[in-house]
Amino acid sequence: MAAGAPRPPTANGTHSAASAKPIQLAVTLPSNPQTKVHLHLTLTPTTLLLHSTTTSPETPSSSAALGSFVYALPDRYNPSQPLSTPLYTIPNTVDFTTRLAKVLVRKTGKACYVSWSGDLTGGVMGGSVEEEMEVFKVIVEAVVAEVGKGAAG
């Protein structure tokens, strides 16, 4: 199709960005094999949407409530410092969610919508800084790998 040529009409919901299929992953923590981090990732050409939570034998197997929800995007003038704004906040998860959204923006170059509703207090290390950083690293590695697969495929 020539540049500037009109595009054929599409039915509602059939645009390629609207038809992105969610990817669901469950990652076991190396230091705590009973705790799983569940990721629900939707990738589009310009954005990613990530909902993440944790489950363990100590937590009931019900649906996780929405934790903090943050929007972050690259700053054109200072790429090393993404911009972010919380859309919905829960005090004990907003810092983790904001840091996660900003790191994903830096690693992927895409605008990111990120929610986190995980609870690490029932884990082996009781929600220590080391455990939180391990979860953070696991999430970033899994998302960056999936974004890489999408770019390659």
Side-chain angles (χ1 to χ4, degrees):
M1 195 178 277
R7 294 182 183 199
T10 58
N12 285 338
T14 60
H15 186 270
S16 62
S19 63
K21 297 213 184 312
I23 301 163
Q24 296 187 30
L25 305 166
V27 183
T28 303
L29 295 180
S31 67
N32 186 0
Q34 295 180 342
T35 301
K36 289 188 185 234
V37 179
H38 296 273
L39 307 173
H40 184 97
L41 177 66
T42 304
L43 298 171
T44 67
T46 58
T47 61
L48 69 85
L49 171 65
L50 173 67
H51 295 288
S52 51
T53 190
T54 57
T55 57
S56 66
E58 294 83 29
T59 59
S61 61
S62 64
S63 297
L66 178 66
S68 295
F69 190 49
V70 174
Y71 175 64
L73 69 158
D75 183 351
R76 292 187 307 183
Y77 304 110
N78 188 1
S80 66
Q81 292 297 321
L83 306 171
S84 69
T85 187
L87 302 174
Y88 182 76
T89 60
I90 300 293
N92 61 342
T93 62
V94 70
D95 291 336
F96 184 89
T97 310
T98 302
R99 283 186 287 127
L100 183 59
K102 286 182 173 188
V103 167
L104 290 174
V105 168
R106 279 194 291 269
K107 296 266 187 187
T108 65
K110 297 181 178 211
C112 298
Y113 293 89
V114 177
S115 75
W116 168 252
S117 60
D119 181 16
L120 301 173
T121 57
V124 171
M125 294 187 266
S128 67
V129 173
E130 291 82 11
E131 191 170 31
E132 187 175 301
M133 292 310 298
E134 179 184 24
V135 169
F136 192 90
K137 182 180 175 187
V138 163
I139 293 172
V140 170
E141 288 173 351
V143 171
V144 169
E146 288 299 321
V147 169
K149 284 182 196 174

